[in-house]
Amino acid sequence: MSQAILHFAVGGTLTALLIALVPDIPYPRTLVLIGGGWAMIPDAAKLASHPSLLAFHDSPVADVFWFHRTLDRLDESDSVRLASVALVIFIVVTSLLERRSYRAPEVVRERGDGD
């Protein structure tokens, strides 16, 4: 079972990459956070130990939440290193996408040069 931060980082990264493909989507940063939270929904079984939540966490349906079950099966040792790598990737991807969104279009830059 992998760490919660790994699930959040993978969900946020995949959501950010998906958002990058859709032009002019409103509230992209909020959606990235929601995507990270979406990836952690199957871990509700850790908050309330109910048999149905535990069954849901271990079912193939949990992969709908950004491959939650698959990540748990690939990282059975709860690796801090893997969680750290995922977090670094998340930070790099979101930083690059932020940089891209803040760059001014060429038309705006040309107007600023003539002043």
Side-chain angles (χ1 to χ4, degrees):
M1 184 162 342
S2 54
Q3 296 189 6
I5 192 69
L6 171 70
H7 291 295
F8 183 86
V10 168
T13 300
L14 293 175
T15 303
L17 292 172
L18 188 63
I19 288 171
L21 299 175
V22 180
D24 299 326
I25 192 163
Y27 306 109
R29 293 160 198 84
T30 303
L31 291 174
V32 168
L33 295 175
I34 290 170
W38 176 260
M40 294 173 56
I41 288 176
D43 279 340
K46 293 179 181 178
L47 298 174
S49 292
H50 190 275
S52 62
L53 288 175
L54 293 169
F56 170 68
H57 181 269
D58 296 332
S59 75
V61 177
D63 272 341
V64 171
F65 300 89
W66 290 122
F67 312 106
H68 189 101
R69 180 174 181 249
T70 300
L71 289 172
D72 278 349
R73 296 178 110 190
L74 292 174
D75 184 25
E76 292 179 3
S77 66
D78 231 3
S79 170
V80 173
R81 181 171 292 166
L82 185 59
S84 299
V85 168
L87 192 56
V88 167
I89 291 170
F90 173 67
I91 291 168
V92 168
V93 166
T94 54
S95 298
L96 291 174
L97 293 176
E98 281 292 300
R99 182 181 186 286
R100 187 184 84 170
S101 71
Y102 284 121
R103 289 188 310 184
E106 190 173 329
V107 174
V108 174
R109 286 194 306 261
E110 287 173 359
R111 288 184 194 161
D113 291 339
D115 290 338

